[in-house]
Amino acid sequence: MAAPTGVTVRRLTAGALPTAAEGLGALLADAVDDGASVGFLAPLTIDRAAAYWSGLAPALADGTVTVWTAHADDGGGNNGKRHADDDGTGTGTSTGTSSGGRVIGTVQLRSETSPNGTHRAEVAKLLVHRDARGRGVARLLLTAAEECARDAGRTLLLLDTQTGSAAEHLYRSTGWTQVGTVPDYAADPAGVLRPTTFFRKTLGGPAGSD
């Protein structure tokens, strides 16, 4: 699948989070308003959603959580690719909705920290704004998270999604294996309990070493 045109994926740092939080909050509020089961009930204000993102600062700083943001490029360039941040460190720091363009997607990689679980991580909060769907943004974000996990030596990834959601097709088409479904696992934004389907993916060596 060709990379989406006019989209850039950047890795977020704790230092850039205050600038990015509002744009990420708007993205999360959009997802909840559209019915996504991502841990929040409707109505979700942008301020409350932004506060959730701001609360990730310690985890971003210590590396237990990694976040990527997808931006709609204002003037083209670097289409469908990840790139270094403005200071050349190669971390791909997000700049919120300013010079990085409007935030249209995000994903998290949550690394397990227990001594017997450092081989695994969880993919979470894969979100794409309603008006940016169908362009391959979710696939680009998912690839970024998988490559980072592989490079960090994580060999097992886990995720879950509401049963019957459009995300199920994405996960199956990118090599994820369904583990099982739990009835009434989580409430949707309207407060109705829905089933959740769990997926796993086993990773090989670092990207390019297969």
Side-chain angles (χ1 to χ4, degrees), residues 48-138:
R48 283 179 55 210
Y52 159 76
W53 291 105
S54 295
L56 292 180
L60 283 175
D62 66 22
T64 54
V65 174
T66 307
V67 176
W68 292 264
T69 52
H71 299 257
D73 294 341
D74 295 325
N78 293 316
N79 291 343
K81 297 181 179 180
R82 296 181 302 282
H83 57 80
D85 63 358
D86 292 338
D87 64 11
T89 61
T91 58
T93 305
S94 168
T95 54
T97 57
S98 56
S99 63
R102 183 172 66 92
V103 178
I104 58 171
T106 186
V107 69
Q108 296 178 21
L109 184 68
R110 296 177 164 267
S111 298
E112 177 61 44
T113 59
S114 60
N116 68 340
T118 55
H119 65 293
R120 70 177 188 264
E122 177 189 5
V123 174
K125 295 287 188 296
L126 176 57
L127 309 174
V128 177
H129 197 279
R130 279 177 284 187
D131 66 14
R133 293 174 191 165
R135 298 169 54 187
V137 177

